[in-house]
Amino acid sequence: MMRPRRSGGWRRRIIGMVVAAAVLGGLAGAPVPSAEAIGAAHYPIAGVGSSWSANALQQWVRNVWDNYKWKVTYDDSGSSAGRQQFGQQNGGKDFAVSEIPYALTNSDIVDPRPARKFAYMPIVAGGTALMYNLVIGGKKVTNLRLSGEVLARIFTGDILRWDDAAVAADNPSLALPAVPIIPVVRSDGSGTTAQFTSWMFTEHAATWQAYCAKLGKSNCGITSNYPVATGSPFIARSGSNSVAAYVAQTHAQGSITYVEYSYALNARFPVAKILNSAGFYNEPTASNVAVALMGATINEDAASPDYLTQQLDGVYRNADARSYPLSSYSYMIVPTALEYGFTEDKGLTLADFTNYFLCEGQQQAEVLGYSPLPINLVQAGLNQVKKIPGGDPTNKDIAQCNNPTFSPDGSNKLAATAPQPQACDKIGPAQCATGTGGSKDTATAVSGPGGAAAAAATATGATQADGTTAGTAGATSTADASGAASGGLDAIAGESTVAATVVAGIPVQLAANPAVTLSGIATVLASTLALVMILAPPFISRSRRLVGVRGPRRGLRRGRVRSRMPRIHLSLRGRPRSSDSPVTDGS
């Protein structure tokens, strides 16, 4: 008598599959501990804010679209617009960029923190440059020098002509023309204006407050909106591009503006070298900015609403001969909660985008006219990325960042290797003839009483502050030495050069998203389970009819392998039926 075949095995298998799918599905849907769920797809995001940072940010936006098809749009309407729109309940942006935080101390306006939950994240460092248009004898001046006091007096209307004795004292090799100075300022709410007025408020308070008094203001403080008197020679324009474009016009001789260094490079115009506390006139190269920011005080209190914001008194007064006084960095303001229309899918895009520019994007900072962030700010930024809801918590490891400031001992490599200024850049009777900014390859002809000494120093190789000798091109940055800086300018301006590929996107292998992987597994299992539930009942019923509830359980001969596939009888009609194994005919 053969043993009857039991039908419970199929039921047990189905129940097991259901349990397994439920467990894996639960793993995929379970939230990451102490974080929001990870976004399932990269959804388009939009930001608004700083024009000071815009040249770097727009390049990174192009990079991530070209390499990963992440859709990020950015409106460089100014820092004030960025902070305001980020806090709007309806129509608010997914992120903002600003040079100053909310509720800035010593500000002349009320700028309260929004109800929306947010965090600050460093984005890029740079120098606020003084781009100018000055001509002597039909030739462009490219080596202008200004002390801080003279600069403050120019932008408060106290010095009105370029041949003023105070300007001439800074420039012994130049016979300055008797033409009016035209200060060009921002008409919109600007982080660049806030940075510039913060420097004047801190370093030249008497000059700044006297200007405020003339305008009938009791206290200008640090302002994003530059005060201009009616009838003054000041010109006001909206946006960094606009002020730079005004100065670059042929008819705008005598004009000067404050703008991020990148804009002067793009326009191929010179910038003034500014006198630092060590007695040297420097321009805002990437290395000079890196040195200067070593003096910044960073808010390192993670519980503070102003965590990672900067206090710049130590930058303005940095005594290193290589420092540039008007150096700083800008912030991205990122959401830390699912509110104001911000979703997990948007968070996935924003987190991956910020991971990109904190690491790979910093490689392009110098050629774009900025200075890459040091390791401490990059690490702090990566920690801030983890607060973005929907982002992948398996954050990029700091060891994977190929940042030009990083070194094995954690120091700022760019600052450590920054060249010393030339001896002719030191305050005194000599003045370097070499050009600056976007006109670094154009020297200025000798015209003043100190020109002979400057020409001799430039022709023979100037001695640097540390006693070494600089070439005739003057102190250059790392990118200049390799030719990358000049090539980068052509690429930014849209001209065709071999070096244009310097600013092309650099692909980076981002970590796989574990939530997406588990979700995919769960989806496949659910689909398989549904198919099994549809096909299993008729299959089992047919097998039971064919084999019978008391069907034979055949053994195996020694040495033969038993098949695990179900035995299916195609036809049993016309065959004798055993009383021990009754079979239906399927009808």
Side-chain angles (χ1 to χ4, degrees):
M1 179 76 64
M2 295 185 180
R3 295 180 180 179
R5 172 171 292 187
R6 297 179 180 178
S7 60
W10 283 103
R11 294 192 182 95
R12 285 193 297 272
R13 291 189 183 93
I14 293 173
I15 293 172
M17 292 179 68
V18 172
V19 172
V23 170
L24 287 175
L27 287 175
V32 176
S34 70
E36 301 288 348
I38 299 173
H42 289 92
Y43 194 84
I45 57 173
V48 63
S50 165
S51 61
W52 189 92
S53 309
N55 285 340
L57 200 64
Q58 297 289 20
Q59 181 62 52
W60 296 333
V61 165
R62 290 190 290 270
N63 289 353
V64 298
W65 173 253
D66 291 343
N67 290 300
Y68 314 114
K69 295 299 180 269
W70 302 339
K71 183 65 174 178
V72 182
T73 55
Y74 181 68
D75 175 9
D76 59 350
S77 298
S79 293
S80 294
R83 295 192 307 277
Q84 292 167 6
Q85 292 185 38
F86 180 81
Q88 292 176 357
Q89 179 68 51
N90 298 317
K93 298 294 184 176
D94 301 310
F95 66 90
V97 179
S98 175
E99 276 67 65
I100 60 172
Y102 290 104
L104 181 68
T105 303
N106 296 319
S107 176
D108 68 329
I109 61 172
V110 177
D111 186 22
R113 297 181 182 90
R116 186 177 186 181
K117 297 180 180 64
F118 70 93
Y120 296 112
M121 176 190 301
I123 177 171
V124 71
T128 297
L130 281 302
M131 175 181 163
Y132 64 93
N133 185 338
L134 190 60
V135 173
I136 297 177
K139 301 292 185 181
K140 183 188 294 185
V141 176
T142 63
N143 66 334
L144 183 72
R145 310 193 311 189
L146 296 174
S147 67
E149 181 61 29
V150 169
L151 177 59
R153 290 176 62 192
I154 286 174
F155 276 89
T156 54
D158 189 46
I159 295 178
L160 301 175
R161 297 170 64 92
W162 282 109
D163 62 346
D164 188 282
V167 183
D170 284 330
N171 297 276
S173 73
L174 300 179
L176 293 163
V179 298
I181 295 176
I182 306 171
V184 182
V185 301
R186 291 284 290 274
S187 63
D188 56 326
S190 161
T192 315
T193 296
Q195 288 178 329
F196 187 52
T197 60
S198 174
W199 170 77
M200 283 198 287
F201 176 81
T202 304
E203 298 300 294
H204 304 283
T207 302
W208 181 235
Q209 294 301 345
Y211 176 69
C212 290
K214 289 180 183 178
L215 299 181
K217 293 178 176 290
S218 59
N219 176 33
C220 280
I222 300 169
T223 181
S224 296
N225 299 279
Y226 206 97
V228 176
T230 302
S232 74
F234 284 59
I235 299 293
R237 291 288 185 270
S238 178
S240 294
N241 276 316
S242 294
V243 295
Y246 182 91
V247 171
Q249 296 177 95
T250 303
H251 73 267
Q253 292 182 22
S255 61
I256 183 171
T257 191
Y258 54 89
V259 70
E260 207 285 326
Y261 188 53
S262 177
Y263 290 87
L265 299 185
N266 288 355
R268 299 184 181 279
F269 260 71
V271 300
K273 291 183 176 181
I274 306 301
L275 185 65
N276 63 24
S277 294
F280 285 85
Y281 295 90
N282 285 334
E283 64 178 300
T285 61
S287 54
N288 288 344
V289 169
V291 170
L293 287 176
M294 299 293 284
T297 300
I298 309 300
N299 184 334
E300 297 180 344
D301 180 5
S304 168
D306 296 322
Y307 175 55
L308 296 185
T309 58
Q310 58 194 333
Q311 206 280 338
L312 298 174
D313 290 14
V315 174
Y316 304 150
R317 302 163 192 169
N318 193 321
D320 193 303
R322 303 166 296 172
S323 67
Y324 179 76
L326 278 75
S327 298
S328 59
Y329 63 86
S330 60
Y331 317 104
M332 180 174 280
I333 303 170
V334 298
T336 57
L338 295 173
E339 55 184 358
Y340 289 68
F342 194 75
T343 65
E344 291 158 344
D345 286 353
K346 287 185 174 184
L348 180 65
T349 305
L350 181 57
D352 283 349
F353 178 52
T354 51
N355 269 331
Y356 170 80
F357 70 65
L358 284 170
C359 289
E360 279 67 28
Q362 297 296 314
Q363 297 175 24
Q364 298 173 291
E366 183 168 0
V367 74
L368 292 169
Y370 298 85
S371 185
L373 293 173
I375 191 169
N376 62 317
L377 291 182
V378 173
Q379 181 63 75
L382 291 175
N383 291 337
Q384 295 292 72
V385 175
K386 296 178 182 179
K387 299 178 182 179
I388 300 174
D392 186 345
T394 57
N395 212 329
K396 179 180 289 294
D397 190 334
I398 191 73
Q400 298 176 8
C401 286
N402 187 15
N403 183 308
T405 70
F406 291 6
S407 62
D409 62 0
S411 62
N412 188 328
K413 182 169 64 177
L414 187 61
T417 59
Q420 292 290 332
Q422 299 178 91
C424 52
D425 278 327
K426 187 173 177 62
I427 190 170
Q431 180 176 0
C432 297
T434 49
T436 60
S439 298
K440 64 172 64 270
D441 296 327
T442 304
T444 300
V446 173
S447 59
T458 303
T460 59
T463 301
Q464 294 179 317
D466 63 353
T468 59
T469 300
T472 58
T476 60
S477 67
T478 304
D480 297 335
S482 65
S486 59
L489 299 181
D490 294 333
I492 297 167
E495 298 183 12
S496 176
T497 67
V498 174
T501 54
V502 172
V503 294
I506 302 173
V508 53
Q509 184 65 42
L510 298 180
N513 190 331
V516 174
T517 303
L518 289 173
S519 177
I521 294 172
T523 302
V524 173
L525 287 174
S527 301
T528 304
L529 178 60
L531 186 62
V532 169
M533 296 299 289
I534 293 171
L535 298 178
F539 179 75
I540 296 170
S541 176
R542 180 174 179 82
S543 298
R544 289 178 60 187
R545 289 196 300 269
L546 292 173
V547 178
V549 294
R550 296 181 181 178
R553 191 177 186 87
R554 299 185 179 181
L556 298 177
R557 294 182 180 176
R558 187 179 302 274
R560 294 180 62 185
V561 179
R562 181 179 179 180
S563 172
R564 295 183 180 271
M565 296 297 293
R567 186 183 298 276
I568 301 176
H569 300 279
L570 299 178
S571 177
L572 295 178
R573 291 177 179 173
R575 294 180 60 182
R577 300 181 180 179
S578 167
S579 59
D580 294 330
S581 131
V583 180
T584 61
D585 61 5
S587 60

